[in-house]
Amino acid sequence: MEFIATTATAAEKLKRLAKTLRKTTGTSLAVALDAVAKQHGYEHWKHVAVCLEQTASASCSKPLPESLKDLLDRAAARHPASVESQRAFAQGFVFAMDVKDAEELSLTSEYAECDDGWYLAARDLWRGLAHYRDDETGTTLFETHSPEDLASTALDDLQNYRLFRYSGAATPASLEEAYKQTSELSLFPPTHIWLSGKFIDIGEVPEIRVNGQLVLSTSPGFTVLQSDDRRTRYEKFGHLLNAAERSLFDRMTAQEQDSLLFQLEKQTPIGQTRYQPVHSSLTSNWRDAKKI
């Protein structure tokens, strides 16, 4: 298949066109996606997904701008991450979450917030940020921003994330296993993962399957599936639903049902022992980084 530079914005536009075509023709979404892809020079929708992933990889492989590299070098010298955090990024398992999604995250004793490792994460996150080419302007932040503005924008972008490291005995052996572990802590997926020294942008992964079940996909309209977890929680905690909750339960979406059962689980003695609310200090730490 021919490589066609494809940004996330471009792929999203094609998805919207496919949805419109589906409504007007009554065809299936899969057929509409393939049709729109062919209209824009691709062989099929899978071709779009492959090009999107290759474009993202090419951006991330570009060198970090010197202004950002210098900032991170100063941060590493003045406020080095703990040995545990450095080991987690180099050999273990770290994941990032959107700050709002992280409010619903409940950590077990095997996880800890990794607020001291922000500059380690930034070395990967900022490559994509600095070299991402906007479809509307055709330019990148690296091309249009001064070194000072680029550093300020990059530091502001970090405040969209919170970082967590795994301190358990056995590091997940695969992305699928790592993703499954995070799904046990939150209904929301991570945005990025560092696994055994490899950086993974979840937004660029075509799909993830756990135990043969599709749990994440770049296909439009796909919702994260957690039916196995929901079934287990219902079997264990469904009896704790009161009359009002039970009458609403069947009308809820799968995600809403799992959220309700998850809250019930956390209220039990075992749940209170296992799950610990997360308290973040990342925002202040990253604001202080601007002084470096």
Side-chain angles (χ1 to χ4, degrees):
M1 292 183 291
E2 177 189 0
F3 170 70
I4 302 173
T6 306
T7 64
T9 303
E12 187 60 34
K13 288 181 179 178
L14 295 179
K15 290 177 184 177
R16 290 198 295 268
L17 290 173
K19 289 180 180 179
T20 300
L21 178 62
R22 179 191 184 189
K23 290 180 180 179
T24 57
T25 62
T27 188
S28 69
L29 182 57
V31 171
L33 285 169
D34 283 340
V36 168
K38 291 178 181 178
Q39 291 171 4
H40 289 78
Y42 299 90
E43 294 180 17
H44 38 63
W45 183 255
K46 182 64 175 179
H47 188 189
V48 177
V50 170
C51 290
L52 175 62
E53 184 176 8
Q54 292 176 343
T55 302
S57 297
S59 294
C60 290
S61 67
K62 293 181 179 179
L64 194 66
E66 285 300 317
S67 59
L68 300 184
K69 183 178 181 298
D70 289 345
L71 188 157
L72 295 179
D73 287 343
R74 294 197 302 273
R78 296 187 185 185
H79 306 289
S82 66
V83 173
E84 292 79 9
S85 291
Q86 293 185 47
R87 184 182 299 116
F89 274 98
Q91 305 171 5
F93 172 35
V94 179
F95 66 92
M97 290 196 72
D98 178 273
V99 289
K100 293 183 179 179
D101 292 347
E103 294 175 0
E104 302 298 324
L105 180 69
S106 293
L107 298 182
T108 68
S109 59
E110 294 180 316
Y111 293 86
E113 189 155 9
C114 192
D115 56 344
D116 63 336
W118 68 268
Y119 69 87
L120 298 171
R123 293 188 187 279
D124 293 310
L125 295 174
W126 285 355
R127 287 187 176 89
L129 176 70
H131 294 293
Y132 172 74
R133 190 168 299 279
D134 186 274
D135 279 347
E136 300 294 335
T137 64
T139 60
T140 67
L141 294 181
F142 178 62
E143 295 169 339
T144 58
H145 283 49
S146 68
E148 295 77 15
D149 288 342
L150 180 59
S152 179
T153 298
L155 285 167
D156 287 341
D157 182 71
L158 278 181
Q159 296 188 47
N160 293 316
Y161 306 104
R162 290 170 69 178
L163 304 169
F164 305 90
R165 59 178 167 80
Y166 176 67
S167 57
T171 298
S174 64
L175 171 60
E176 291 73 19
E177 184 178 333
Y179 190 91
K180 181 180 180 181
Q181 287 190 198
T182 63
S183 70
E184 295 172 352
L185 306 174
S186 173
L187 295 174
F188 300 101
T191 59
H192 305 83
I193 282 177
W194 289 261
L195 184 61
S196 300
K198 180 182 179 181
F199 171 63
I200 304 168
D201 184 341
I202 295 298
E204 306 300 344
V205 177
E207 66 178 37
I208 296 177
R209 292 182 179 272
V210 175
N211 298 328
Q213 181 183 20
L214 184 65
V215 295
L216 181 141
S217 171
T218 56
S219 298
F222 182 83
T223 302
V224 175
L225 298 176
Q226 292 183 314
S227 59
D228 287 345
D229 287 341
R230 179 171 62 84
R231 186 185 63 250
T232 300
R233 286 191 179 127
Y234 183 76
E235 290 174 350
K236 290 183 177 180
F237 309 107
H239 67 282
L240 298 177
L241 293 167
N242 60 37
E245 291 168 339
R246 193 173 296 279
S247 65
L248 291 173
F249 190 81
D250 290 338
R251 299 197 296 272
M252 292 179 174
T253 64
Q255 190 172 34
E256 290 170 339
Q257 289 176 341
D258 197 62
S259 179
L260 175 58
L261 292 169
F262 188 34
Q263 296 306 316
L264 289 175
E265 179 182 0
K266 291 196 294 184
Q267 294 170 16
T268 65
I270 294 178
Q272 290 175 1
T273 299
R274 180 182 182 190
Y275 297 108
Q276 304 170 12
V278 173
H279 303 285
S280 176
S281 56
L282 282 181
T283 300
S284 61
N285 282 359
W286 290 355
R287 188 182 299 116
D288 291 342
K290 292 189 176 184
K291 302 175 184 178
I292 295 175

